[in-house]
């Protein structure tokens, strides 16, 4: 008997509604074109990979494998590396323990897990406007009803949040937020806003999902306490080593009350049994060593320099026509163009000129604002940045007719 | 302002229905008790970790990191390591290409991905009776309507499948099956059944999800062609390196028609961006080397010996009271007790005596059969096996009153 041949495969594979409602991520699609010759990219949130402590990781691998052997390669517990969990609890969540931490495959998996845990089709969820596009993508696949709250320089608009909570016909499942050097806006919450938001949401019985991905990347001033430190009982915290160590290792975490964590562990069990032990071991070996603080200082200094250089390039080209403030941390500049500049179009014209960024509209739920671009400054070299900003200015000039 | 204190967290965290319907996996729970002093475990599907080629993996790590450096630790493409995908396509799916492969975090993530792709709440899906409990767990969280088809020594009951397809009020989304040394039954499909099943499902417009986890673990005779080789247009194939190399690396794959794969990649993007490159590089380094065939031979020989020894122990203790046939491959014996022995109870009594196995009822959808135990033979030593079978016989004797 020969091969059985199928004539029309679209009749046999019938995807669920979920498949249709999951949008492809713009940045992931952009990552695919950045290998085009001559393309300069400021699109991804890519760390500077010359900072990865590769020699240290090599040494840790060598030592760990000699010491722990086969255990690193066998099936392991779903919750993940207990020493690493204890380290995370100790460093970021004073008074908590390893029991309250679940290790995940990057913070993206943390977002997926929490979506599974919380979202019912049609149920309202709160998030910032703008917000992280990877979160919008994964939330979308669970079909919630999105409610955006405007995020300004000091944090979300509290009056708007109050009004929304008071008038929402169904209690939102959670408030998802990035209070530290937000992706994409680079804004952070003031201490006052942190306290008010935590209190307001507690009073309304709405849990907080706090994403701390950029929290360690301050250039000079440490940020105010995290929302999880302020209200640990009603806040779930998400973290990652992607920005502070290396994203390719795919190690992130969730800190949640034990009652919630228990269910999250079962969900993760069903999703992938557990994340690779080896990667968690490499992370633990490095962060628990004396090198880690030194490494963080180096990252902060390097990114600060890059951000300053980027700022200079914008000033030199755009003068006062872009209302830009120098960055205090994180990985991005959030470029605000005049209202009549549609950055979806600007973005396309830039791609044609060999320049990749991300159009601001990707970061909005509901009606998007269309006059922003997100500009990553952590990955490109000084020369690339200079050239990239020049290219952007040329395209902008042509479009604006200035 | 001090910490904000939550008085009753069960009022604030309101999980989705999904959370409730995802059962905890029995084996994962058993994995937690196997560290009890004196416990001998035959519960997990754990490979013999003395077979992991650790020295080779060390060398590959060393060479790869020197050669590829930071690239192994940076964000990477969602679809995964292109050389490894090409290797998989070439070895397992003649005539296919790397484009048709998506790398996943073990085959468990492949099952989750395909659940997301296919299952609507309430939609019927077909699977074998018994079936893999990890698949039942993840499918359950998407709330399909399960239809079980009895799996005998030559494969699923074709008449039953025909009747089900003819009478089902809604076309099933897929048929999930393990045609090679199935977990838990260790049965395989004959060539005749493979051909009939593939043809029948094609005629009925129902796609096949074929799980090939144990396909390489034959002891003497190679199995007939896979369902994907027989009907590549209507079959999606799932594979893993967990049994042939090391499960802790968490590297598995999906082979699917390009039209389907495109959507699966977007789903995976939303789930975890991508799986760790380093792990894929370690797998590729090993499987593409001259050592791999040698390694597979060693695994097959070792497991065959273990299976023979296990069989001997059962014969010596149970005589003819267990209708056991010697294993031809895979990792398990599927022990069938007399109908009046409830193996849920037998299992519990065994745990009290320091013996862990898995009760057969965990592997059934709908009304379970209650007279089987799944017994893994790949992990325990000869001595442990001898002692374990003796313990089982003691408990059985007491229960059966023989």
């Amino acid at each position: 008997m020969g091969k059985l041949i199928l004539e029309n495969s679209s009749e046999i594979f019938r995807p669920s509604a979920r498949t249709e409602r999951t949008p492809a991520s713009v940045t992931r699609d952009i990552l695919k074109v950045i290998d085009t010759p001559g393309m300069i990219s400021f699109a991804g949130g890519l760390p500077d990979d010359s900072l990865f402590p590769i020699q240290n990781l090599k040494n840790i691998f060598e030592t760990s494998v000699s010491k722990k052997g086969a255990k690193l390669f066998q099936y392991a517990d779903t919750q993940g590396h207990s020493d690493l969990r204890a380290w995370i609890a100790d460093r970021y969540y004073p008074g908590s323990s390893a029991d309250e931490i679940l290790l995940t495959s990057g913070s993206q998996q943390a977002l997926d897990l929490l979506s599974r845990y919380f979202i019912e089709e049609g149920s309202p969820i709160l998030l910032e406007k703008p917000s992280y596009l990877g979160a919008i993508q994964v939330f979308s696949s669970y079909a919630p009803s999105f409610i955006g709250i405007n995020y300004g320089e000091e944090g979300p608009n509290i009056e708007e949040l109050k009004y929304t909570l008071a008038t929402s016909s169904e209690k939102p499942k959670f408030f998802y937020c990035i209070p530290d050097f937000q992706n994409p806006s680079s804004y952070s919450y003031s201490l006052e806003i942190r306290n008010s938001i935590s209190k307001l949401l507690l009073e309304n019985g709405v849990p907080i999902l706090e994403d701390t991905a950029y929290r360690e990347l301050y250039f000079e001033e440490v940020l105010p306490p995290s929302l999880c430190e302020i209200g640990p009982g009603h806040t779930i915290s998400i973290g990652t080593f992607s920005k502070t160590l290396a994203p390719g290792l795919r190690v992130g975490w969730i800190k949640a009350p034990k009652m919630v964590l228990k269910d999250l562990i079962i969900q993760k069990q069903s999703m992938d049994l557990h994340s690779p032990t080896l990667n968690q071991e490499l992370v633990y070996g490095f962060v628990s060593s004396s090198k880690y603080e030194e490494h963080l200082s180096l990252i902060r200094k390097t990114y600060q320099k890059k951000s300053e250089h980027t700022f200079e390039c914008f000033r030199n080209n755009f003068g006062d026509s872009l209302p830009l403030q120098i960055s205090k941390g994180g990985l991005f500049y959030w470029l605000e163009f005049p209202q009549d500049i549609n950055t979806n179009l600007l973005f396309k014209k830039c791609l044609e000129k060999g320049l990749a960024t991300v159009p601001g509209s990707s970061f909005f739920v509901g009606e998007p604002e269309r006059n922003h671009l997100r500009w990553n400054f952590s990955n490109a070299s000084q020369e690339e940045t200079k050239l990239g900003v020049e290219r952007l200015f040329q395209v902008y000039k042509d479009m604006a007719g200035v």
Side-chain angles (χ1 to χ4, degrees), chain A:
Chain A
M1 181 163 157
K3 276 194 186 181
L4 288 168
I5 299 302
L6 175 69
E7 289 181 8
N8 187 347
S9 63
S10 66
E11 279 169 25
I12 195 157
F13 298 107
R14 286 155 292 129
S16 67
R18 202 177 295 114
T19 305
E20 207 145 296
R21 70 187 176 227
T22 310
S25 153
V26 194
T27 33
R28 300 296 299 171
D29 289 345
I30 296 168
L31 281 178
K32 289 198 167 174
V33 303
I34 62 175
D35 285 336
T36 316
M39 182 70 71
I40 317 179
S41 176
F42 304 86
L46 274 66
D48 181 340
D49 52 28
S50 72
L51 297 172
F52 296 162
I54 293 180
Q55 191 53 50
N56 292 311
L57 294 173
K58 254 176 142 170
N59 298 343
I60 293 163
F61 183 88
E62 183 76 21
T63 315
S64 292
V65 172
S66 303
K67 211 170 67 185
K68 303 194 174 174
K71 253 199 143 175
L72 294 176
F73 300 95
Q74 186 56 283
Y75 282 116
D77 187 47
T78 302
Q79 199 170 352
H81 199 291
S82 58
D83 290 339
L84 181 57
R85 287 189 283 113
W87 185 91
I88 292 168
D90 190 51
R91 182 179 178 99
Y92 295 113
Y93 310 104
S96 79
S97 75
D99 295 359
E100 291 159 77
I101 310 288
L102 167 61
L103 297 180
T104 58
S105 295
S107 60
Q108 188 68 31
Q109 188 182 49
L111 292 170
D112 186 29
L113 256 165
L114 291 163
S115 302
R116 285 169 99 111
Y117 179 83
F118 280 112
I119 304 177
E120 300 282 5
E121 207 170 315
S123 59
I125 64 169
L126 293 162
L127 71 175
E128 299 153 348
K129 252 168 79 177
S131 185
Y132 169 51
L133 61 79
I136 296 175
Q137 185 194 29
V138 68
F139 294 159
S140 297
S141 74
Y142 292 86
S145 140
F146 286 109
I147 310 175
I149 304 293
N150 283 295
Y151 194 165
E153 286 185 22
E154 298 283 300
N157 186 323
I158 292 276
E159 291 311 311
E160 191 183 334
L161 180 58
K162 262 188 199 155
Y163 178 80
T164 304
L165 288 165
T167 56
S168 176
S169 62
E170 191 189 332
K171 194 192 277 196
K173 288 287 192 168
F174 57 76
F175 175 56
Y176 170 70
C177 58
I178 311 171
D180 317 311
F181 310 120
Q182 196 222 31
N183 174 1
S185 72
S186 87
Y187 300 150
S188 300
Y189 291 20
S190 67
L191 176 60
E192 198 192 332
I193 297 268
R194 284 170 199 256
N195 284 325
S196 316
I197 289 258
S198 183
K199 188 157 172 278
L200 181 62
L201 290 165
L202 178 61
E203 284 164 1
N204 281 274
V206 174
I208 299 171
L209 304 194
E210 177 182 36
D211 188 338
T212 67
Y214 309 95
R215 189 166 170 77
E216 289 275 21
L217 303 186
Y218 56 87
F219 297 154
E220 278 167 5
E221 235 173 293
V222 179
L223 289 165
S226 70
L227 296 179
C228 191
E229 285 171 87
I230 294 170
H234 68 294
T235 305
I236 291 175
S237 178
I238 300 166
T240 178
F241 294 103
S242 290
K243 312 304 181 187
T244 52
L245 183 45
L249 292 171
R250 314 301 304 123
V251 183
W253 70 85
I254 297 174
K255 190 266 177 186
K258 279 182 204 163
M259 181 199 76
V260 175
L261 207 74
K262 186 177 60 65
D263 286 333
L264 294 176
I265 293 169
I266 294 173
Q267 287 298 324
K268 179 161 165 69
Q269 214 177 71
S270 80
M271 286 158 76
D272 62 8
L273 301 184
H274 67 92
S275 294
T277 314
L278 179 62
N279 305 252
Q280 298 172 4
E281 175 76 9
L282 290 177
V283 169
Y284 178 68
F286 189 69
V287 299
S288 66
S289 77
S290 60
K291 313 260 181 213
Y292 190 50
E293 288 306 332
E294 207 179 293
H295 175 72
L296 287 176
S297 297
L298 176 66
I299 288 179
R300 289 178 193 127
K301 269 188 209 124
T302 309
Y303 290 172
Q304 181 170 24
K305 256 194 214 156
K306 288 193 164 196
S307 114
E308 285 170 357
H309 172 68
T310 304
F311 186 76
E312 276 308 301
C313 293
F314 276 107
R315 280 283 275 277
N316 293 342
N317 285 274
F318 284 85
D320 290 335
S321 57
L322 279 188
L324 206 59
Q325 285 183 10
I326 197 157
S327 170
K328 291 175 182 166
L331 303 178
F332 304 105
Y333 276 110
W334 183 232
L335 307 176
E336 186 183 341
F337 291 88
Q339 286 290 346
D340 60 337
I341 297 291
N342 180 331
T343 49
N344 288 347
L345 191 61
L346 181 66
F347 158 75
K348 275 186 198 149
K349 286 177 186 282
C350 285
L351 272 189
E352 288 164 16
K353 300 284 181 196
L355 171 66
T357 60
V358 187
S361 59
S362 315
F363 300 91
F364 288 87
V365 294
E367 186 56 39
E369 292 179 12
R370 295 191 195 280
N371 62 323
H372 290 89
L373 277 187
R374 189 191 72 175
W375 184 279
N376 167 264
F377 58 72
S378 55
N379 191 256
S381 68
Q382 289 221 347
E383 296 67 41
E384 286 167 334
T385 300
K386 186 163 176 291
L387 190 58
V389 177
E390 282 165 12
R391 282 188 191 168
L392 178 67
F393 186 61
Q394 283 305 322
V395 177
Y396 166 71
K397 254 192 358 190
D398 291 350
M399 241 180 110
V402 291

